Amino acid sequence: MSVLIVGSTALDSIFTPKGKRPRLLGGSASHASVAASFFSPVHLVGVVGDDFPQAYLNLYRRHGINLEGLQIEPGKTFHWAGEYEVNMNNRRTLKTELGVFEKFSPELPESMRNVRFVLLANIAPSLQHRVLDQMRKPRFVIADTMDLWLNIAKDDLLRLLRRIDALVLNDSEARLLTGDDNVISAVEKIHRLGPRHVIVKKGEHGSFLSSHRGFFLAPAFPLKKLVDPTGAGDSFVGGLIGYLASRPGPIEANLRGAIIYGTAVASFCCEGFGLERTTAINRKAIDQRVKLLERLVRF
Amino acid sequence: MSVLIVGSTALDSIFTPKGKRPRLLGGSASHASVAASFFSPVHLVGVVGDDFPQAYLNLYRRHGINLEGLQIEPGKTFHWAGEYEVNMNNRRTLKTELGVFEKFSPELPESMRNVRFVLLANIAPSLQHRVLDQMRKPRFVIADTMDLWLNIAKDDLLRLLRRIDALVLNDSEARLLTGDDNVISAVEKIHRLGPRHVIVKKGEHGSFLSSHRGFFLAPAFPLKKLVDPTGAGDSFVGGLIGYLASRPGPIEANLRGAIIYGTAVASFCCEGFGLERTTAINRKAIDQRVKLLERLVRF
């Protein structure tokens, strides 16, 4: 089955202790779409300016990503610049230039409204709503978010939680959303807000899934060299939904595997700047890393 | 097989957001010995003062712990008081009264010098050396440590690393010991300092083992209510060595299981103050939690 992915499409200027790169292809939807493309056909919904490099459009196309829903508007592409601290766990934003993203309103081509698997990658909850308003009968909707929306658009986000099947967020966001310092009981509170699946990302410490079947604890892939974690969370959820859409059988039976596949793609993402490494791998490399992960947790 | 455990035997006064308890039975050797006792006979080596409550000696004995190596000296038992912050990840020491511990020098009864499994629980590296000097032919020696010894007794600790089979430490200590910010490459450096097995504790994020067989990533048991994490690390390594000593076959084949058993015992430890909860469980409860852990990571 194919996947619809809506989110930001941006140019990222990244500074890390390992080096710097200006104006890489970035944004939540870019990372998620490339990650999902290893498993399923992807329809991308987003907006870029008329300065958007042709090379990046070609990159999407090489991954078979359908760009019918990518608006190209007069003006500048969303540009983000950020700098990571030595341990790469913290980063600060140096610059945010919204450009054409400021007036973005996702418009789904008719052909995309029947897609069954939907990823609302990290953008404003009001835009995530706008996508769902246009979908006919999605089978599985997963949404990502970030602390910014918890702070400035909490009501929109709370309304969204009642419309989705799964929420992905990191542990500090789970605490922020619920005011509960224990992430395990925080997740119980998130279930009561709507989503029947809650996936908590913990960076180098892996992730976990909570659902009516209980918990699933997923490791992170141990990386000796972290080059740039930008987009790792987007790659994780992109790989997850892409794998899920590729599998027969009930969602519940495939979700654990999907999290492990997302974990594997995210680990590659961290090994290069922007999408450098992710675009250099193939399905076989991902499968090998999943096998390694299996061996790493077996006892 | 039986296990020799040397470490601190103390009275702990503990303040947490969930309450306070004065003068509980504590110390690295107390927690580790009770944890190990669920799997193997334990010989405890330590020192207490003549103020040490009879009830605590009885507690050790109820767990079948051999106290021949527990010195009872005139003076006061080591007393530690500490306070946890709201999230329980950070604590500060309110009081440290060494008492009879100040002049402690472990003396092993003749019968204990042939024990094959040795846990050097957290005490000064010079005392850990003194124990090894008296052992005849240990099969497996595992040492725990803490940031204090990295700061004030690093040379002793580095010499110790060449005498042990396995080192247990937490992730911040691994960084401190090696000066390497990436815990995965830090562990490689620790191998070069001596121990062929390195086990890194990450609290609520689980633990991992590095050895010539590669990595093993172990989860933590997800706890909704954390009451008091004091002694969790000691319970982890105590359960680990106790289980290991109880198993036939090569160490390498049992180490992953041992880490999971240690994880299970440590999770109970966190559910009560001091040893309250750990002393209220049995082997069956531990086995059940290990089964749960298996289900939590399976995909």
Side-chain angles (χ1 to χ4, degrees), chain B residues 10 17 20 24 32 35 41 47 59 71 78 92 101 107 114 133 138 141 171 179 255 260 285:
Chain B
K20 59 184 175 179
L24 295 171
V47 65
L59 184 157
Q71 305 166 25
F78 179 23
R92 65 193 182 94
F101 200 71
E107 289 299 330
N114 292 311
D133 292 343
V141 178
D171 47 356
L255 206 42
I260 295 297

Side-chain angles (χ1 to χ4, degrees), chain A residues 29-95:
Chain A
S30 301
H31 281 281
S33 295
V34 170
S37 75
F38 295 110
F39 309 98
S40 296
V42 174
H43 307 278
L44 170 61
V45 175
V47 66
V48 295
D50 50 18
D51 61 343
F52 193 69
Q54 183 65 39
Y56 293 165
L57 293 173
N58 293 343
L59 184 157
Y60 288 139
R61 288 195 187 102
R62 272 201 307 279
H63 283 266
I65 297 166
N66 175 9
L67 300 179
E68 261 182 275
L70 181 68
Q71 305 167 24
I72 303 185
E73 301 291 342
K76 292 200 166 187
T77 302
F78 179 23
H79 177 225
W80 175 83
E83 182 175 32
Y84 286 85
E85 289 177 14
V86 175
N87 73 11
M88 303 254 196
N89 285 327
N90 299 313
R91 73 179 185 196
R92 65 194 184 93
T93 290
L94 302 171
K95 205 186 277 183

Side-chain angles (χ1 to χ4, degrees), chain A residues 181 188 224 256 298, chain B residues 87 181 188 224 256 298:
Chain A
D181 213 59
E188 284 188 355
K224 228 181 294 182
R256 290 180 168 212
R298 195 185 301 150
Chain B
N87 73 10
D181 212 60
E188 283 188 357
K224 229 181 293 182
R256 290 180 169 213
R298 196 184 300 150

